[in-house]
Each structure stands twice: as C-alpha cells, then as structure tokens.
Amino acid sequence: MPTSDEHSGRKHLPLSMFDELLDDAAVAVDCLSAIVRVCSEATGKAVTLFDRKGHIVASTRPEAARQTAFPPLGDIVGGQPAPTGADPVLIAAELGTGLSRRKILSAIVERGEHLGWLVVDEQPTPFVPTDEYVTLRCARRIGAQFLTQRRITRVAWNARSNLARQLVRGSGAWADLAAGAEYLGVNVHAHRALVYVREPEGAPDDLDRTLAEYTERALGLEVLSTRGSEGILLLIEAPAHAASPTVVRRITATLEAAVTELSPTGGLIAGVSSVYEPDSFVRAYREAREVVRCIDRFTDGTGHRVLAVDDLGPARLFLANGEVSAIRHFIDDMLGPLLDDDVASAELIRTLAVWFEENRGIRRTATRLGVHENTVRLRLSRVHTLTGLDVTGDATHQLSIHTALLVLRLRDHPALHAESRCADAKDDTASLTDERRTA
C-alpha cells in the first residue's frame, strides 16, 4: 500500500512496490510510456521523457498538475547544452530563466551512448530525497529499453531489406519469400514502382532508411528499402487498380521534396520506374537505372534530380547508351537557333514542350500556357522557320525535336521547369486516397 511522507503529506509507493511496477512497465507494449508513468506515480510529480533531439517521447502528470504545461527542454536548461552525465542534476528555479519550479534532470545513458533525458517537475509537491533515486532508476531502465527496441527494429529492418533485395533480383523460392513477407507484415503480392537512388559523396549512412520512412509517411504506402553496391533501392507499393502514371507522378513529387530535405548538400539523383507486378521487378530496376544513367550523363551533378521513366519515354534507351558527344551535336543541330539565352527562345522551347505533353493538341496547349490558340500556331511556325523542322506535319521531325527536348530537360533547362508537377501530384493525392479506401 502507498505510504505517506511525514513532511510533505504526499503519498508515495514503497520501494518494493516501485521495483515491481518498474519490472512490469519494462515488458509492456508501450514500455517507455509505462516507465514514465511509474516514475510519475512513485514521485507524485509531472514527468517527461525527451529524446536526444529534445523532442517529447512521453509525458505524464498527476491530476493536480494537469493544467500546467511542461516546458520545452531548451527552456529547462536555459538555452545551454543539457547535461549528459550519468547522475541526476537538480535545476534551480531562478528569476529570468523562465523556470518557476525546480526540475530533476537525468540523462539517459546506456553503454556510453547518450539517448535522451528524463525530467521530473517539482509539482504538485516539493521534492524529497528519494525522488532523485527514483528518477535515476527509471532513466537507467529507459536506457536499457531504448537499446532493446533499437536491436529489434534493426533486425526487422534488415529482414525487410533482405526481402526487398530478393524481390528485385528474382531470387529465392516464391513460397519462401511469401512466408517471410507474411511474417514481416509485408504485402508481397502488391504491385510496386521501383526507385533507384544514386547517393552523392558524403551522404549520411542511414539515408536509405530515412528516405524510406519519409516516403512511406508522405504517401501512406508501404515502402521496402535495400542498399545495393551502387545506390539505394525503394520498392513503393501502388494502390490496387491505381493507374501507373498517377502513382509515378505522386512518387516523383514526393521524392523531390524528400531529397531536398534529407540531403541538402545536393548531387543526389533518382530514377522512378513504372508500376510492375512482383515478377517484373527486374525490369523495373533496369528502367530506373537507365533513367539515372541519363541524368548522370547530361547534367553537371551539382543539384538534385528526380525523373521518372515516363518523363523520358523510349528515348531513354538512346540517351542512356548512345555516344554522349554525338548526342550533344545532335541537340545543337536540332535546336541550335532556339538555344539562345533570351525570353523569346525560352518561350518557343516551353511551347514545344507543352505541345508534346498535351499530345500535340493546340487547344489544350493554349489553355495550359494561358494564350490564344493562334499564338501557339504562330510559335510552332516560328520554330519551323528557325530550325527548318516541320514540327506539326513531319513525324520524323517530331521525334527528333521531342528527343532533343528530353536532353534539355535532363540539363534542367529553365524553360522546362516542371511547374505543373506539384499541381499534378496534388490532384493525384485525392485519387490515390480514394484507391486505398476502395482497396
């Protein structure tokens, strides 16, 4: 039964009961939150667990302290680096610091690694000598659980990574793969798009994991990840019955946001395949590799680039395998008069690109560009005059110009910035959501 402290009048747990509750909390499903609750019950005070980045992991407070918000870690330590020593620290309440009550802060340290902080607030009752002991015991138990959960997570991650590698290679008996996938909670029958990511020098070691977690969270779709000898592979689930172009556009837009946020130094390039069923992931891998090869051959490598196989079409085979200098001469021969760095030239290139994207429809092109249909016709006629290529009447000329435009896209020509991709991706979000609900 709880006993009463003669000085504060606070009821607290006997140490024997505290140990039992701590043992029970360590095996609970939400063990970290459970240990924080035990710490709060044993001290009778508000308790918060912060990770090593200062984010709140779990927080519990007695009924008498429900209305009081727990301050951020930065306010608790007064803007100074938080202590990382093994012993609890009593932080005084001082005028001008923003702290109206004292705090006990115990760093979470396990096997020499700092993992976070456990903080006990002096409310609704004053501290007693046993509070520091309870805080230290709970902090040590949390440290042990942190490492245990990390090991479990790493084992599961490695198993999923191995499954992804086998799916891409087409290796292993299908029955064994299906059994392993079921154990891991993976839908091995799902159709997926494959993303091949070539990392820049100096990329973080865990970029494969952070990219997978980012895209899974942003898309709400299952993502398998594995690291190969030359880059990272992501297998991203496609909702049942969703059109491949819709899924690929959404994945591409999400990856563009992800690489900018997760690898700010630049130089990361990625290729996205079409959506395939599991027995065709080898083909998906080949497609994504070809896209990356095209980007690598025709860009300077200073910025992030994410393109899908749909962006390049069949011309990727020519661009990925043809002789680079010959292709560059080809582009100059095709579009040389349009490559001047002026507004009029950029306008003609943009009009050509949109005209192809809109399946050579004059009305749709005019609507998208916000101009009259006759303006589109005049611009296409101007292209014919400058280049000698009959873009509206000769299929061979159309193929030549379309291929040349793809190289300009790979070079990230200013006139071809895909400002419509974000809008398309937003439109696709609702479609994908409906597909998931239907499935």
Side-chain angles (χ1 to χ4, degrees):
M1 294 292 291
T3 60
S4 177
D5 186 279
E6 59 180 345
H7 300 293
S8 66
R10 184 200 69 185
K11 292 184 177 180
H12 61 84
L13 295 172
L15 291 183
S16 59
M17 185 178 294
F18 165 67
D19 289 337
E20 292 177 5
L21 291 176
L22 199 56
D23 290 339
D24 291 340
V27 296
V29 174
D30 58 340
C31 60
L32 298 182
S33 297
I35 295 173
V36 171
R37 287 194 296 270
V38 170
C39 187
S40 179
E41 292 172 7
T43 61
K45 296 176 174 63
V47 180
T48 295
L49 172 63
F50 295 92
D51 66 15
R52 60 185 177 186
K53 293 183 179 180
H55 301 143
I56 293 178
V57 177
S59 187
T60 302
R61 51 180 54 85
E63 188 64 37
R66 293 284 182 187
Q67 303 303 318
T68 306
F70 211 99
L73 182 64
D75 292 348
I76 294 173
V77 298
Q80 300 298 316
T84 57
D87 297 327
V89 176
L90 181 63
I91 299 178
E94 298 179 3
L95 293 176
T97 64
L99 291 185
S100 58
R101 297 176 302 276
R102 295 185 297 171
K103 307 285 189 294
I104 295 175
L105 183 148
S106 183
I108 312 295
V109 181
E110 188 69 19
R111 297 184 182 179
E113 182 179 0
H114 172 241
L115 303 168
W117 294 271
L118 186 65
V119 182
V120 179
D121 194 1
E122 193 175 24
Q123 66 158 327
T125 58
F127 284 136
V128 296
T130 57
D131 287 341
E132 287 194 17
Y133 169 80
V134 169
T135 305
L136 178 60
R137 287 286 306 279
C138 290
R140 288 178 174 172
R141 188 61 67 92
I142 288 172
Q145 291 303 314
F146 258 129
L147 292 187
T148 299
Q149 289 191 8
R150 180 184 294 176
R151 285 194 294 269
I152 293 172
T153 301
R154 185 179 295 118
V155 169
W157 175 263
N158 289 340
R160 288 168 63 93
S161 176
N162 184 59
L163 175 63
R165 189 177 299 111
Q166 290 179 297
L167 287 172
V168 172
R169 290 177 176 173
S171 60
W174 179 255
D176 294 338
L177 288 178
E182 184 177 1
Y183 177 77
L184 295 169
V186 173
N187 180 10
V188 75
H189 302 288
H191 291 203
R192 299 176 187 268
L194 187 145
V195 179
Y196 177 78
V197 182
R198 203 194 66 183
E199 304 170 83
E201 292 185 9
D205 293 336
D206 62 346
L207 182 59
D208 56 334
R209 183 165 182 168
T210 52
L211 268 178
E213 291 174 348
Y214 184 105
T215 53
E216 189 166 73
R217 184 171 58 252
L219 293 169
L221 299 170
E222 183 180 71
V223 179
L224 299 177
S225 171
T226 188
R227 186 183 290 274
S229 59
E230 299 178 1
I232 296 169
L233 302 182
L234 304 177
L235 280 172
I236 302 178
E237 176 190 16
H241 311 301
S244 177
T246 300
V247 177
V248 170
R249 281 197 302 269
R250 179 64 176 152
I251 290 173
T252 304
T254 300
L255 281 170
E256 288 174 339
V259 298
T260 300
E261 180 175 334
L262 301 177
S263 184
T265 56
L268 187 150
I269 60 178
V272 185
S273 78
S274 299
V275 173
Y276 286 102
E277 56 191 12
D279 60 2
S280 297
F281 289 158
V282 172
R283 180 179 176 186
Y285 174 70
R286 185 171 62 251
E287 282 187 356
R289 281 290 303 272
E290 288 170 347
V291 173
V292 168
R293 181 169 171 79
C294 290
I295 298 172
D296 188 42
R297 301 182 91 197
F298 295 98
T299 61
D300 57 13
T302 58
H304 296 306
R305 296 302 306 278
V306 180
L307 288 175
V309 66
D310 296 342
D311 294 325
L312 301 181
R316 75 180 186 279
L317 299 173
F318 165 61
L319 299 177
N321 301 294
E323 209 245 317
V324 174
S325 61
I327 294 174
R328 293 185 186 279
H329 287 307
F330 168 78
I331 303 308
D332 291 337
D333 291 341
M334 292 297 103
L335 298 179
L338 306 183
L339 299 180
D340 294 335
D341 189 16
D342 58 60
V343 175
S345 297
E347 196 173 64
L348 293 178
I349 290 175
R350 179 63 184 152
T351 300
L352 279 172
V354 173
W355 186 69
F356 279 111
E357 290 169 7
E358 296 298 336
N359 295 317
R360 300 184 294 278
I362 295 291
R363 178 175 298 177
R364 291 190 300 272
T365 302
T367 300
R368 184 165 160 189
L369 293 174
V371 299
H372 194 276
E373 293 178 27
N374 286 339
T375 301
V376 176
R377 294 187 180 94
L378 287 172
R379 291 179 182 176
L380 295 178
S381 177
R382 179 65 176 162
V383 170
H384 189 182
T385 300
L386 292 173
T387 65
L389 298 173
D390 184 6
V391 69
T392 60
D394 190 305
T396 301
H397 290 178
Q398 290 177 1
L399 177 61
S400 297
I401 290 183
H402 194 208
T403 302
L405 288 173
L406 289 178
V407 177
L408 293 188
R409 166 173 275 190
L410 290 170
R411 292 179 180 175
D412 200 26
H413 191 285
L416 299 180
H417 286 168
E419 79 287 345
S420 62
R421 176 172 289 161
C422 293
D424 290 341
K426 290 179 181 178
D427 293 339
D428 293 338
T429 301
S431 176
L432 288 180
T433 301
D434 290 343
E435 293 287 355
R436 289 197 293 270
R437 289 174 179 170
T438 302

